[in-house]
Amino acid sequence: MGAAIAVPVAATGFVYAMPEQAARLAIQAERQRAGLVRKEVELPGGLHSVYLEGGRGEPLILLHGFGANKDNFLRVARQLTPHFRVIVPDLTGFGESAHPAEADYLPAAQAERVRALAQALGLRRLHLGGSSMGGQIAMSYAVLHPDEVASLWLLDPAGVWSAPRSELGDIYVGTGRNPLVAHNEEEFAETFAFVMSDPPFIPGPIVRALAQEPMRNAPLAEKIFKQFTADSLEGRVKGLATPTLIVWGDQDRVIHVGSGAVLQGLLPRSQLIVMPGVGHLPMIERPRQSADDYLRFRATL
């Protein structure tokens, strides 16, 4: 969940005069700094998949959250591409990948699409990371194909619903309003503030430019949200032996931080890191710390 990236901005006048072009240039610059290149492939069934790829070493696929896209991992990927072959797709229904209106968007179906991408890239065994909904999909992948997943990196993952209800849950249950779905620029700015406790600075015109994609996708996003939030993974992941690093921001308003301890109790080979002062998107709010913690975790495997 969440749709924010950190972008460097050099020319203030250009940003205000041509915000969409400035956003594209800033994103491209951030991709280059991370050593990532945009690529695309057709998956079985005709689904178009767009992804970023870069680095060398063991393959690491990173899955973004609800309402987001592949660029959510740019800040942290800069620290990872020197060590791993990093692949960051736009999940089906988001970003530049296909948006089939009537598709199954349950985590298991999304996991099979990610697996199809992995197979198209010749990957038979890989490491998986995921933020929020992406973490739920990563866990589904590991449950369905445990021999193919070497490790899991879960950043405030969805799918564990027995913990105390979050602020998002209280709002959604109480009012029916979803703070993660933006129908206009004002709502997107509110989402931006909701998902992060310590967001990077991004000028207002860039934020408004970034709002356009999730605004266009709002009707489909509502459908996807209902599907994945109705799916609990707790019974399916219990006892899963995949080595797992769980990371949670203690200021997460989207999924209660108590979910981390619940998940740790279900996964026998897991460790939990709780980041103080961090919201729902540790890899954006604390990219260096997130990367360092992950590298230490990988060194233990």
Side-chain angles (χ1 to χ4, degrees):
M1 299 176 187
I5 59 170
V7 291
V9 178
T12 302
F14 177 59
V15 167
Y16 281 84
M18 307 181 73
E20 293 190 6
Q21 293 90 328
R24 285 196 296 270
L25 288 173
I27 289 169
Q28 184 57 37
E30 195 78 1
R31 290 176 182 175
Q32 290 176 348
R33 287 187 184 91
L36 295 172
V37 176
R38 180 190 177 278
K39 299 182 179 181
E40 49 194 316
V41 66
E42 296 296 319
L43 301 179
L47 283 179
H48 188 66
S49 180
V50 178
Y51 61 99
L52 302 175
E53 183 175 12
R56 298 174 63 183
E58 292 185 76
L60 168 62
I61 295 183
L62 300 174
L63 306 177
H64 65 76
F66 174 78
N69 62 37
K70 57 190 177 298
D71 293 312
N72 265 38
F73 282 100
L74 291 181
R75 296 192 87 198
V76 74
R78 192 188 311 182
Q79 324 300 329
L80 300 176
T81 48
H83 306 276
F84 313 116
R85 178 187 176 189
V86 177
I87 299 157
V88 194
D90 277 331
L91 292 165
T92 300
F94 299 93
E96 297 180 90
S97 290
H99 289 61
E102 302 306 318
D104 179 356
Y105 287 101
L106 284 169
Q110 290 282 53
E112 294 295 358
R113 295 182 189 112
V114 175
R115 184 172 184 251
L117 172 62
Q119 291 180 329
L121 299 179
L123 308 180
R124 294 295 175 261
R125 184 169 170 82
L126 49 87
H127 300 263
L128 273 177
S131 164
S132 193
M133 180 190 73
Q136 185 177 5
I137 294 168
M139 285 188 280
S140 297
Y141 194 130
V143 168
L144 292 166
H145 308 285
D147 294 338
E148 299 176 16
V149 180
S151 73
L152 288 168
W153 182 25
L154 306 175
L155 299 142
D156 299 58
V160 177
W161 307 123
S162 66
R165 198 161 65 193
S166 66
E167 183 178 344
L168 169 68
D170 287 340
I171 294 170
Y172 190 67
V173 171
T175 69
R177 182 176 68 87
N178 189 343
L180 301 182
V181 178
H183 300 86
N184 54 55
E185 292 175 357
E186 180 179 357
E187 288 182 356
F188 181 79
E190 293 171 356
T191 298
F192 190 93
F194 190 86
V195 297
M196 287 183 284
S197 177
D198 188 16
F201 171 73
I202 303 179
I206 298 291
V207 174
R208 290 190 289 276
L210 295 174
Q212 303 311 308
E213 177 187 307
M215 285 165 49
R216 289 191 297 268
N217 203 40
L220 180 58
E222 295 279 14
K223 172 184 174 179
I224 294 173
F225 183 84
K226 290 178 181 178
Q227 287 197 20
F228 84 85
T229 55
D231 181 69
S232 173
L233 276 173
E234 293 180 52
R236 301 202 298 278
V237 301
K238 185 177 181 180
L240 181 68
T242 307
T244 302
L245 176 62
I246 306 164
V247 180
W248 229 286
D250 72 349
Q251 300 300 307
D252 192 341
R253 302 165 68 188
V254 177
I255 305 176
H256 195 283
V257 64
S259 302
V262 174
L263 187 56
Q264 185 183 24
L266 296 171
L267 301 175
R269 298 181 64 190
S270 65
Q271 56 182 284
L272 171 64
I273 295 174
V274 176
M275 290 188 181
V278 173
H280 188 59
L281 299 173
M283 72 287 189
I284 294 176
E285 298 174 67
R286 297 286 189 276
R288 172 66 73 173
Q289 181 182 348
S290 296
D292 287 348
D293 288 340
Y294 182 66
L295 290 171
R296 280 191 290 269
F297 164 70
R298 285 292 300 270
T300 67
L301 300 183

